[in-house]
Amino acid sequence: MFIDTHCHLSKDDYDDIDLVIKENRESGIDKIIVSCCDKSSIIEGLSLSSKYNDLYLTIGYHPSEASSIQKEDILNLEEVIKNTSKVVGIGEIGLDYHYGKEDIDQQKFLFREQLHLAEKLSLPVVIHSRDATMDTINILKEFPNVKGDIHCFSGSVETALTYISMGYKLGIGGVVTFKNSNLFKVIEAVGIDNIILETDSPYLTPEPYRGRKNSSKYIPYIAKRVAEILNMSVDEVALTTSNSAINLFDLK
Ligand code: NI
């Protein structure tokens, strides 16, 4: 049993979503969590989640949306969450300074507003943090009751251990299979209990399919690499990470 805790699933990226879901099931992927992080993907995700019972959602506004999101959009998010049982978390939310810091105040405002919402609704968060580690950690520390996962973690061992001490899991994806990746050091240091698996599809396809379009069906290749690093069986990786995901997101 595998769970893809973070993917994107839009008809902009896939011609035949029915086929994607069918291939996932055939590859042993029991549940997927689709990250919907702008207005149009939230609408699309809600429609998908009513069609497929093994598909869950996290919804929230990505930091790249910071300059366009108003307070009423966040109120609207709350309404949407209250009206569907398929939303299992808020995300991906966070800070992204990769393209500059012009909207840093708006990003921080949006991030804090959504962390408040997560706290109010007792939902976990999925964190997107790019070139913004210290600010992300400091803001998350303002919300000690909120838990979640650090999506596509790619930082140092020290940063990993800081997040874990704050109660977060690390989302590990296809990057771990890349030859130049140092993520194995992080995985060795934190152990199987602190990671969950994700594809972030359609991006970051694991080896040996790097370069193709990603999808949840490639999760077993990520699990295989984690199993090699930790010297355990793929089944054990699948079971432990799936249980962590079920607990974190309260999946039924
Ligand atoms: Ni993502």
Side-chain angles (χ1 to χ4, degrees), residues 6-8 35 37 62 92 126 128 151-152 198 200-201 203:
H6 187 116
C7 62
H8 301 271
S35 170
C37 48
H62 192 278
E92 53 196 271
V126 175
H128 172 105
H151 153 56
C152 201
E198 60 166 65
D200 202 21
S201 51
Y203 318 106

Side-chain angles (χ1 to χ4, degrees), residues 153-164 170 182-190:
F153 181 81
S154 62
S156 66
V157 169
E158 187 190 357
T159 301
L161 294 173
T162 301
Y163 281 127
I164 287 164
L170 308 181
N182 277 326
L183 258 183
F184 70 91
K185 292 181 186 161
V186 169
I187 290 169
E188 283 171 351
V190 306

Side-chain angles (χ1 to χ4, degrees), residues 58-61 74-75 77-79 81-82 87-94 109-127 139-140 142-149 168 248-249:
T58 62
I59 69 174
Y61 298 114
I74 295 163
L75 292 172
L77 204 59
E78 182 172 355
E79 280 312 301
I81 292 169
K82 284 176 176 168
V87 176
V88 296
I90 295 185
E92 53 196 271
I93 63 173
F109 174 78
L110 180 62
F111 190 24
R112 285 193 174 97
E113 285 292 305
Q114 294 183 101
L115 286 164
H116 273 298
L117 184 60
E119 187 167 43
K120 182 178 172 186
L121 301 177
S122 298
L123 283 172
V125 289
V126 175
I127 301 299
I139 291 179
L140 290 179
E142 297 169 17
F143 299 86
N145 298 323
V146 176
K147 298 292 172 274
D149 88 277
Y168 285 81
L248 178 61
F249 294 103

Side-chain angles (χ1 to χ4, degrees), residues 207-223:
E207 295 287 4
Y209 297 110
R210 193 174 180 182
R212 285 196 206 176
K213 184 175 289 183
N214 202 1
S215 98
S216 301
K217 70 181 176 186
Y218 294 132
I219 277 280
Y221 295 93
I222 299 166

Side-chain angles (χ1 to χ4, degrees), residues 4-5 40 47 51 53 77 79 99 110 143 149 151 166 249:
D4 184 357
T5 61
S40 66
S47 138
K51 188 171 173 193
N53 60 5
L77 204 59
E79 280 312 301
Y99 302 102
L110 180 62
F143 299 86
D149 88 277
H151 153 56
M166 294 161 61
F249 294 103

